[in-house]
Amino acid sequence: MSQNPTTAVFTGRRVLLDSGAAVGPATIYVDAAGKVARIENEHKPENATVDAGDSLVMAGIVDGHVHINQPGRTQWEGVVTASHSAAAGGVTTIVDMPLNCIPSTVTVAAYQQKRESFQQGMWVDVATWGGVVPGNAADLAPMLEAGARGFKCFLCDSGVDEFPPVNEEQLRDAMTELKKKNGLIMFHAEMDTGATADASSNPVEYDTFLHSRPPVMEVKAIDLVVKMCREFAPHVPCHIVHLSAADALPAIRAAKAEGLPLTVETCFHYLTINSEDIPARSTEYKCCPPIRGSENRDRLWEAVLDGTIDFVVSDHSPCTPDLKLHPCCGGASGGLAADAIEGDFVKAWGGIASVGIGLPLLWTEGQKRGLSFQDIVRLVCERTAVHAGLADRKGRIAVGMDADFVIWNPDEVIKITADKLHFRNKLTPYQERVCKGAVCQTVVRGTVVYDATQTADNDSWENGFSREPQGLWLESPIARK
């Protein structure tokens, strides 16, 4: 039990402490360090800082795959808008990706530059991944020591010149260095197979783009990932980011059955959108690997529910509308190049904006498939915290853990509209989507940072957010157990 005095008390009739617990009444006492000091299995509203009543209280969400794009591309996003959006969606920790910022996070100097740029704008806690690129193997151990949670690489073109892909030889060099530190490596698992967009097909039709990124690109890459994972097991844990192709699931299941240290994530968009439903010119739906068909989506859901896929993330990867070649720009008069085709899926930037809206998306679709509250905690809190090396402080409500909570109403119907989106560029495939699940309050280390009831600005609140940012940069030692 904490020796610090209690500074905040949270209580409710429906509290879920972890994925192995039942929903029930509880009162949570928080100390001055923002840690859970003690828990009582009773609803005690008297003198509580927050009485959640019949709303559901669970651990804050840990989103392990977010592109904040700071420093260098803050016209795409930035830490203030990204962390605001996270807080409004019950996300209390985000782990930033090493690319789309400038410089890419591939050296200690770049890591420190990112950390410094974030200091005044974090409404939730933030950590970062480092990157593996050709020639930076010697930088990996120093970045781990500085605080990077692990490393991401690409096996195909990343879309930005400053983050080139690695080949097998370069990958082996990097993993040899990571072996010395048991460092985690993550793979954008697509490899070139010679597939291209059919020049005779209409580029504003989604299928034209979809056929240029066939499932075999992921299958080929994952075969290499499994090979390398086996070669360096058990010393280099391997992770597949944003799995889209269900055709790769047999290889993943076999690798896990073999006992290899392999984990896999998928994203909200792959679980909630079918390619058959994507309208022409709607480039807000474009991402790599692509959203696939309904049968593929069903197979991904099976893998989520049976544990083959370990967890779910946003892969929030926004950009400005002109890079999406989106019709909302108004053609050349709105900033598009004179020769650009509005709604060109082939040439548009790939990435979906969704940080902070994953909870209602997952819950709404998951309910149809038997998803429980415990499953949600497992998929977006506990396992993402373990993945990011934050298992000793995030992902569960327990004594000694950070007092990070989301208080939400699973039964309230909401509509996702532009005025409710807090990331910088509002272009997302989820606009106007009706979901179940409304976030009421978000708590970071015992302090409420988002409150949906705070509709009038005052000295303490602005637009529902606390005036003062409460987030911290996380660079504590890696804890995956």
Side-chain angles (χ1 to χ4, degrees), residues 13 57 90 234 303 337 390:
R13 298 184 188 90
V57 182
L390 298 168

Side-chain angles (χ1 to χ4, degrees), residues 345-363:
F345 277 104
V346 176
K347 294 184 178 180
W349 173 264
I352 287 180
S354 60
V355 67
I357 53 178
L359 180 59
L361 293 170
L362 187 66
W363 176 235

